[in-house]
């Protein structure tokens, strides 16, 4: 979402960023203060892809609708995190990506409400398919895969979310056993059940992750911030400095994660401490 905003700024549009509170949710008062007749579009991520915080989209929609602005929701992470009801959200547009709900990569979907105050223009001119919004023939195989993934999620999404939340809690317990000071980020907010973002005070997260490879896969940020040096914009928005951000890791669990996977993390950490103790003894 930030890169398109930066691109629009280069074209002469004025871009404003809304503050979030300490729990990672949009500050509603700050949003109200920034809305006036000059605001054309408001775009908000329903579920953050780094710390997993879920926004109150319906509340945001009510505030934005009163201003007359076009409201877009980045719902990429949402379907796996919670039931999605676009009518209840009251948004004008929403975007989705198949690979975030166990579908094929390379395809997404855009929702556009008939009640939207205006309709976007086509980026690519061509035939009249896709209601004139998109030229070219869509990839049928990817569309079929996307549809099947949505069907499976519709049928077993609730079960998936319960499964992920249970394993996330177990993984947090494992981390707290090895790192008693482990702090779950935005732990008081509703969050994606499969996203565990945790700070390990006093621990170099990048070094720990390197030592856990190749048995444990985790991240020190989101895919969108990979290669970035320093704290991500998400953690900076929470008020974190470089030191705190350097102590944070993100673990992900989902439909195919098992109890054995969580046990593998526990074993990997046990072996790490055993190796460290052995090295310390050898050097004394």
């Amino acid at each position: 979402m930030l890169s398109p905003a930066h691109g629009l700024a280069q074209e002469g549009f004025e871009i404003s960023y809304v503050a979030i509170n300490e729990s990672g949710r949009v500050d509603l008062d700050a949003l109200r203060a920034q809305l006036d007749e000059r605001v054309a579009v408001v775009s908000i991520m329903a579920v953050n892809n780094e710390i997993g915080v879920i926004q109150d989209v319906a509340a945001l929609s009510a505030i934005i609708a009163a201003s007359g602005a076009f409201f877009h929701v980045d719902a990429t992470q949402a379907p796996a995190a919670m039931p999605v009801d676009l009518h209840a959200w009251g948004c004008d547009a929403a975007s989705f990506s198949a690979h975030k709900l166990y579908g094929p990569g390379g395809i997404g979907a855009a929702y556009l409400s008939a009640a939207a105050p205006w309709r976007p223009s086509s980026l690519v001119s061509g035939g009249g398919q896709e209601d004139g919004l998109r030229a070219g023939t869509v990839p049928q195989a990817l569309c079929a895969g996307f549809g099947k993934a949505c069907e499976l999620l519709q049928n077993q999404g609730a079960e998936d979310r319960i499964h992920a939340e249970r394993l996330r809690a177990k993984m947090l317990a494992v981390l707290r056993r090895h790192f008693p000071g482990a702090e779950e980020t935005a732990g008081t907010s509703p969050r994606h059940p499969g996203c565990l973002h945790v700070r390990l005070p006093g621990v170099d997260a990048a070094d720990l992750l390197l030592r856990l490879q190749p048995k444990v896969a985790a991240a020190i940020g989101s895919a969108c911030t990979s290669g970035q040096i320093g704290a991500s914009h998400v953690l900076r928005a929470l008020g974190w400095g470089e030191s705190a951000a350097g102590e944070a890791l993100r673990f992900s669990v989902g439909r195919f994660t098992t109890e054995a996977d969580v046990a593998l993390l526990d074993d990997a950490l046990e072996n790490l401490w055993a190796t460290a103790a052995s090295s310390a003894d050898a050097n004394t």
Side-chain angles (χ1 to χ4, degrees):
M1 287 171 57
L2 291 181
S3 291
H6 295 159
L8 288 171
Q10 293 176 357
E11 293 181 21
F13 289 89
E14 182 180 344
I15 308 297
S16 297
Y17 302 93
V18 183
I20 59 174
N21 55 34
E22 65 282 355
S23 63
R25 305 188 90 184
V26 172
D27 185 318
L28 300 184
D29 290 333
L31 176 62
R32 289 188 187 92
Q34 289 178 248
L35 289 173
D36 57 34
E37 68 280 356
R38 299 174 300 163
V39 177
V41 178
V42 178
S43 185
I44 289 175
M45 184 180 285
V47 182
N48 187 267
N49 57 333
E50 183 170 351
I51 61 175
V53 170
I54 297 174
Q55 301 294 334
D56 187 344
V57 179
L60 295 167
S61 178
I63 295 170
I64 295 164
S67 75
F70 185 96
F71 181 31
H72 164 259
V73 177
D74 177 348
T76 305
Q77 303 283 341
M82 59 184 175
V84 173
D85 186 336
L86 294 172
H87 294 291
W89 278 3
C91 57
D92 297 306
S95 48
F96 301 87
S97 189
H99 73 285
K100 289 299 183 182
L101 45 90
Y102 306 101
I107 186 168
Y111 160 83
L112 185 62
S113 168
W118 49 266
R119 298 179 69 79
S121 300
S122 173
L123 291 175
V124 181
S125 298
Q129 69 268 49
E130 307 307 318
D131 202 20
L133 292 175
R134 179 191 185 281
T137 302
V138 298
Q140 294 92 338
L142 295 182
C143 290
F146 193 179
K148 186 62 178 180
C150 290
E151 178 187 342
L152 291 172
L153 191 66
Q154 180 71 20
N155 293 334
Q156 67 182 75
E159 182 181 337
D160 282 348
R161 288 186 280 272
I162 292 171
H163 171 74
E165 191 163 15
R166 179 172 56 82
L167 291 186
R168 184 187 72 185
K170 290 196 171 189
M171 188 170 288
L172 179 60
V174 166
L175 290 170
R176 283 179 168 162
R177 186 166 73 81
H178 293 281
F179 306 98
E183 304 169 2
E184 191 173 14
T185 305
T188 60
S189 295
R191 281 158 299 132
H192 191 307
C195 178
L196 174 61
H197 191 277
V198 62
R199 179 185 172 193
L200 309 173
V203 175
D204 184 327
D207 179 67
L208 175 63
L209 183 57
L210 183 63
R211 292 174 186 274
L212 291 174
Q213 306 271 318
K215 293 186 176 181
V216 176
I220 53 175
S222 69
C224 300
T225 57
S226 60
Q228 175 179 310
I229 298 174
S232 72
H233 64 274
V234 175
L235 298 184
R236 290 198 304 271
L238 286 174
W240 291 28
E242 296 294 333
S243 176
E247 299 169 341
L249 280 172
R250 184 190 65 160
F251 296 87
S252 297
V253 296
R255 179 182 294 168
F256 304 111
T257 310
T258 66
E259 300 269 0
D261 295 324
V262 178
L264 184 64
L265 171 63
D266 198 8
D267 291 342
L269 289 171
E270 286 283 5
N271 292 335
L272 186 62
W273 303 140
T275 301
S278 224
S279 299
D281 290 343
N283 293 326
T284 57

